[in-house]
Amino acid sequence: MPDGCQQSPVLAGSATLAILGALVLYQRTPNSYGKHTTSSASAAPLLPARAAWFLQELPSFAVPAGMLARQPRALFGPPATLLLGLFCAHYFHRTFIYSLLTRGRPYPVLYTFNGFIFCMGNGLLQGYYLMHCVDYPDEWYTDIRFSLGIFLFFLGMGINIHSDLILRQLRKPGETTYQIPKGGLFTYVSGANFLGEIVEWIGFALATWSLPALAFAFFSLCFLGLRAFHHHRFYLRMFKDYPKSRKALIPFIF
């Protein structure tokens, strides 16, 4: 590792992500927002969905983008700057595009605050590691780990964005009734949008070949995978004609 890297925060941050992911799996009830909002949660302080998602996702873009801006190296030069640029690209979309298009229900302030802290910590961890702790060889651009990881990253991003588009088109502005999502990977799984983001972060972990990215991919698998399971169970309860062959997250398997 480069001389300026402090390994202790990297290891601590990665371990924290992994532990949080493992703890998520012990959660028997879904987080109370969106289609899982309970009466007690709706009585708590709420933010409009667009404002909540914007504030929650913003640190994951702003923190690493600020690190990139202070680097004298070109974005498309060393692999580390390109990889961190891809991380920023994901969260640019989540912050400035997804949040402004979402039609979700009002979002609890507490979850927004928790998400803000998580995104700030993760953005700092991923940015610090790529900017200060890794020195990729010149041939990393041709390494199979980089090539396959970038392919999975963009594949997952495409699935995620397309699935979000399908979900937004299910209801007209002002409608509150839920409908069965159809098309794309929703033909096979209830959590197509979650599957896309999981694939995206697995690809990022492979392309960076880093412990922080691996820990984040594991957390995403646990958190989003459990959310997909809860969505699947919700759809099965609500719709008698819900496709029985559709799985929760992994086509034909789970």
Side-chain angles (χ1 to χ4, degrees):
M1 287 188 177
D3 294 337
C5 175
Q6 298 293 324
Q7 295 189 39
S8 296
V10 173
L11 294 175
S14 301
T16 299
L17 279 177
I19 291 171
L20 287 175
L23 290 176
V24 162
L25 297 179
Y26 288 93
Q27 185 177 335
R28 296 188 177 184
T29 58
N31 288 331
S32 184
Y33 64 88
K35 57 175 55 69
H36 304 291
T37 302
T38 62
S39 56
S40 59
S42 61
L46 301 172
L47 282 173
R50 293 179 178 180
W53 281 104
F54 176 85
L55 293 173
Q56 175 179 286
E57 305 289 306
L58 180 61
S60 280
F61 169 76
V63 172
M67 293 181 177
L68 276 176
R70 290 195 296 269
Q71 294 298 318
R73 299 174 292 182
L75 178 59
F76 295 103
T81 58
L82 173 62
L83 290 165
L84 188 56
L86 293 178
F87 184 89
C88 291
H90 169 90
Y91 280 105
F92 177 88
H93 173 265
R94 296 292 294 182
T95 303
F96 298 102
I97 300 176
Y98 172 83
S99 67
L100 299 181
L101 294 176
T102 186
R103 297 175 180 174
R105 293 169 176 260
Y107 198 82
V109 171
L110 178 60
Y111 286 136
T112 303
F113 177 77
N114 291 341
F116 181 91
I117 297 300
F118 177 87
C119 287
M120 178 174 289
N122 187 50
L124 181 61
L125 175 64
Q126 306 300 331
Y128 177 78
Y129 181 84
L130 287 172
M131 290 295 94
H132 300 288
C133 295
V134 66
D135 188 14
Y136 293 106
D138 294 336
E139 60 273 15
W140 188 250
Y141 281 128
T142 59
D143 191 285
I144 185 61
R145 291 167 290 182
F146 178 86
S147 301
L148 180 58
I150 293 297
F151 170 77
L152 290 175
F153 180 87
F154 282 109
L155 175 65
M157 177 181 281
I159 293 171
N160 179 249
I161 293 174
H162 180 250
S163 300
D164 283 337
L165 175 62
I166 291 174
L167 291 174
R168 283 198 302 272
Q169 292 177 339
L170 286 177
R171 291 181 292 181
K172 296 179 181 179
E175 288 186 339
T176 58
T177 56
Y178 287 102
Q179 300 181 39
I180 299 175
K182 299 176 182 178
L185 278 182
F186 283 113
T187 305
Y188 306 101
V189 295
S190 300
N193 51 330
F194 302 128
L195 174 60
E197 190 164 352
I198 290 169
V199 170
E200 195 175 349
W201 294 126
I202 290 175
F204 185 75
L206 188 59
T208 60
W209 205 247
S210 72
L211 182 61
L214 177 62
F216 182 43
F218 174 73
F219 173 86
S220 299
L221 174 63
C222 296
F223 182 82
L224 298 177
L226 186 62
R227 193 74 179 170
F229 171 75
H230 287 144
H231 276 34
H232 184 68
R233 193 168 57 179
F234 171 89
Y235 286 130
L236 288 173
R237 287 199 307 262
M238 174 162 283
F239 301 105
K240 294 181 179 180
D241 58 340
Y242 195 72
K244 302 304 180 184
S245 61
R246 191 178 296 188
K247 301 299 183 181
L249 183 67
I250 304 174
F252 312 113
I253 299 176
F254 170 76

